[in-house]
Amino acid sequence: MRAIRYVFLGFLLVLSLAAVPAWAVFSGENGVIRFSFDPGDEIQPVGHATVSENGVTVVDLYCWLTDVEPLKKEGVAFTGVGAFELLLTIDGAEGFILKQEYFQDFRQVGSRPGHCVVGLDPGMSLEDGRVQLVHWEILFQGQPEDVVFGLDPAGLISCVKDPECDGQGMRALYVGDGASGLNGYIFGAGYQPAYLNPSEEVDLQDRHGQITWRDRGQFELR
């Protein structure tokens, strides 16, 4: 019998809102977090912004979960996201998060702006393997250059104390929605960095973890 794996601290609070049981199984990486400066469906990871008359630069950054392969378990399809964890990083200039907003009822227990530890009610459906998770409005003094947005694995509360997840290079976590009945499974995600006002060519290569859903063997393609 598979050992029950306990989900820790803040994520338990979030999962309680999303009707997730007090245990969850780490299921490997499936998907990529992508940032976009475009409010629409087209993901634009490179942005350019100029300083305003007030001497500040304000940008909108949208966070997507993409490239999720369609999976099923015992005939049940994994179709939505009921909770997620990630910690935004901003390197190259000091950015102040003015707004952090989600797209349905939520419970947020992250420790600070940019640290998303979020339960969603009723959960968001994946469409073509992707869903928009969060929108930030970020302020910089003056006109910043060579700013890089990424993810810090230190923000993954549920991963740090789980030996199946810890050290596997996950940069974000998410679970299924309650409607699917697959809300007891935690998936990781890689990420693609985003760049604001770059002065040279940028590296848009995806960063992936070390273990995928295939390695875990709990799900199959549908």
Side-chain angles (χ1 to χ4, degrees):
M1 180 177 181
R2 183 180 300 276
I4 292 177
R5 306 207 177 277
Y6 289 90
V7 186
F8 295 91
L9 195 58
F11 207 48
L12 272 177
L13 299 177
V14 172
L15 298 187
S16 67
L17 175 68
V20 175
W23 58 272
V25 178
F26 176 61
S27 301
E29 182 180 299
N30 184 17
V32 179
I33 296 294
R34 301 191 189 279
F35 305 108
S36 178
F37 297 96
D38 189 317
D41 292 338
E42 183 178 355
I43 294 177
Q44 297 285 355
V46 179
H48 300 276
T50 57
V51 64
S52 71
E53 294 181 356
N54 296 327
V56 299
T57 301
V58 178
V59 297
D60 291 287
L61 188 69
Y62 302 87
C63 176
W64 289 80
L65 172 64
T66 72
D67 301 85
V68 177
E69 295 189 81
L71 302 182
K72 63 181 179 180
K73 183 176 178 61
E74 298 175 354
V76 179
F78 190 99
T79 59
V81 175
F84 66 93
E85 294 182 18
L86 56 85
L87 176 57
L88 178 70
T89 61
I90 306 173
D91 295 312
E94 187 174 12
F96 302 89
I97 296 176
L98 303 178
K99 181 186 297 184
Q100 177 170 288
E101 62 179 2
Y102 307 103
F103 306 104
Q104 61 176 240
D105 290 342
F106 66 93
R107 181 176 181 181
Q108 154 76 352
V109 297
S111 60
R112 60 188 184 276
H115 188 199
C116 301
V117 185
V118 181
L120 302 167
D121 185 15
M124 298 188 295
S125 297
L126 291 160
E127 296 184 11
D128 296 324
R130 57 190 240 163
V131 63
Q132 190 175 103
L133 298 178
V134 57
H135 161 236
W136 292 289
E137 186 177 272
I138 305 171
L139 179 147
F140 298 89
Q141 296 291 339
Q143 183 167 344
E145 291 186 355
D146 296 316
V147 177
V148 184
F149 298 93
L151 295 176
D152 187 345
L156 303 185
I157 297 170
S158 301
C159 201
V160 172
K161 295 184 179 181
D162 184 343
E164 300 286 355
C165 181
D166 190 31
Q168 297 296 334
M170 300 299 115
R171 295 303 183 104
L173 298 176
Y174 65 95
V175 302
D177 58 0
S180 70
L182 296 176
N183 50 347
Y185 296 91
I186 301 178
F187 286 94
Y191 83 103
Q192 178 191 49
Y195 299 83
L196 176 64
N197 294 338
S199 60
E200 56 187 25
E201 187 176 351
V202 299
D203 180 6
L204 292 174
Q205 184 174 355
D206 295 347
R207 279 65 163 166
H208 289 285
Q210 300 172 18
I211 185 170
T212 73
W213 66 268
R214 288 180 172 85
D215 300 315
R216 296 293 289 161
Q218 299 158 354
F219 286 78
E220 59 181 339
L221 285 172
R222 55 181 169 88

